[in-house]
Amino acid sequence: TPLYVTCEKGKEQVVEVLLRSDKVDVHKGNEKGETPLYRACSWGCEQVVEVLLGSDRVDVHKGDKPHRECPDPHDPEPARHRLLLTRGQ
């Protein structure tokens, strides 16, 4: 989906625009069940993660891969973990 791709690419301004549309399914995942939030985390797009977590439309508990699985706890980017743990409970 366009939201999925823009989250993965780190385009936070485009993500903000897409989140305004009721036609965009914010929890639709890919064939592996990875949601836009999951992919933004996986690709290290912290600004996009902040935009998604700041939206009332995004529920971190929805989707096949909840935020707790994202990213790997051994990932060298601990800032992403702190952001999700503090804002995505």
Side-chain angles (χ1 to χ4, degrees):
T1 67
L3 180 62
Y4 184 91
V5 172
T6 56
C7 286
E8 184 177 86
K9 301 287 185 191
K11 307 289 186 185
E12 66 267 9
Q13 293 174 339
V14 179
V15 170
E16 288 174 349
V17 170
L18 291 172
L19 287 174
R20 291 186 206 129
S21 173
D22 291 336
K23 295 179 182 180
V24 173
D25 183 350
V26 299
H27 300 109
K28 182 163 178 65
N30 64 8
E31 65 280 352
K32 297 178 187 175
E34 299 169 335
T35 63
L37 176 60
Y38 184 95
R39 292 306 288 172
C41 292
S42 296
W43 284 87
C45 303
E46 290 181 42
Q47 291 83 9
V48 172
V49 172
E50 287 187 31
V51 169
L52 291 169
L53 292 177
S55 172
D56 293 337
R57 296 189 60 214
V58 177
D59 181 346
V60 297
H61 303 289
K62 288 203 175 186
D64 291 341
K65 294 202 175 209
H67 74 284
R68 287 184 186 87
E69 294 181 28
C70 164
D72 184 322
H74 303 292
D75 189 320
E77 299 293 333
R80 287 182 271 167
H81 305 298
R82 284 194 301 277
L83 181 64
L84 282 169
L85 291 173
T86 59
R87 309 247 326 264
Q89 299 176 12

